[in-house]
Amino acid sequence: MFRGSRVLIEWADGAIPMEIYRGRARRVASALNALASARHAQAHKLLLASKGLEPEFRSAMCPHCGATVDLTRQPDAPQLYCPYCDTLSANGYADPELRKFRLCAKCGYFGQPRMFTELYFYFLLVVYGYRIRQQEFCSSCMRGVAWRMLAFNAPFLVGVPVALTQLWRAYFGGSRSSPLFPLLESGNAAARAGKLARGQAIYHKILEQTSPAPGVRYNLALTSLRAGDAEGAILHLEEALADCANYAPGAALLRDTYRRSGHPERAAELDELWGVTEPTAADDQAAQSNA
Ligand SMILES: [Zn+2]
Ligand SMILES: [Zn+2]
């Protein structure tokens, strides 16, 4: 998985972050994903073969990064989720617009996270200093950070142009100019401000125009949960999985919601479905020894 110039290599027992020249990060991550996922899928196929279940094995290739996505026991669905590059796709097409959308790591809503530069510069007579860092935020999350950055930098002027640039990006950039989900940031901003009915109305309007859209249904589930409507959230998440059967964020939230709302048997069914498609390291070893 890569974010900006950073590639995160995950092993069975941990993860190693690596800084890579920004322009090469995507290519390095894709090459690693393709190799690791193919090996993982092959191990699962061999494991099933050792049990006489090889015909159950099913996979698809992520058109964005070339990873092999294991779909064993997952029903057919219009979209594919790649857990390696955290991206949705449809019909094997690497849609450059769809690739921009995923969950925001800060607020958890499905949106269009973008790299955001935070710069704080101060100058006190003979002492000066600065702090700079880059993180991914959706537009809604950017707004609060950009206003804070402007307020801090205003007395010292040097950081003001950067703060104003990021403020402009937060209000006028992102998915507002996307042909795919131009209303999504408005829905997310309303939902995050607690205007849940307005946020849900916008999400439903998006779905009238663009469907399938498992991420938008995921946001509907989040707003239902905030409104205390677990059964509504379950319906939206089940619809998200009908749009994309292997949509891992939706499955994780659905599993948790089943458990919290008194449906442990449905959570167990989901666990069984996903457990089969996610072989453990021990399964990998067993399959290798059977090869
Ligand atoms: Zn991928
Ligand atoms: Zn966010």
Side-chain angles (χ1 to χ4, degrees), residues 62 65 82 85:
C62 169
C65 73
C82 175
C85 67

Side-chain angles (χ1 to χ4, degrees), residues 82-150:
C82 175
Y84 295 92
C85 67
D86 191 18
T87 310
L88 290 156
S89 61
N91 305 316
Y93 170 53
D95 184 342
E97 283 300 321
L98 191 51
R99 186 168 66 191
K100 297 174 184 173
F101 291 87
R102 58 182 165 275
L103 301 194
C104 169
K106 183 168 168 56
C107 68
Y109 279 83
F110 181 75
Q112 187 181 327
R114 292 167 291 151
M115 290 310 289
F116 180 92
T117 301
E118 257 186 284
L119 171 67
Y120 298 97
F121 181 90
Y122 64 88
F123 178 79
L124 298 170
L125 297 178
V126 293
V127 181
Y128 72 92
Y130 70 91
R131 193 185 81 175
I132 187 167
R133 65 175 174 175
Q134 285 198 313
Q135 288 188 82
E136 273 202 349
F137 291 136
C138 71
S139 292
S140 300
C141 291
M142 273 188 190
R143 292 178 186 180
V145 182
W147 279 114
R148 185 180 71 199
M149 194 162 66
L150 182 63

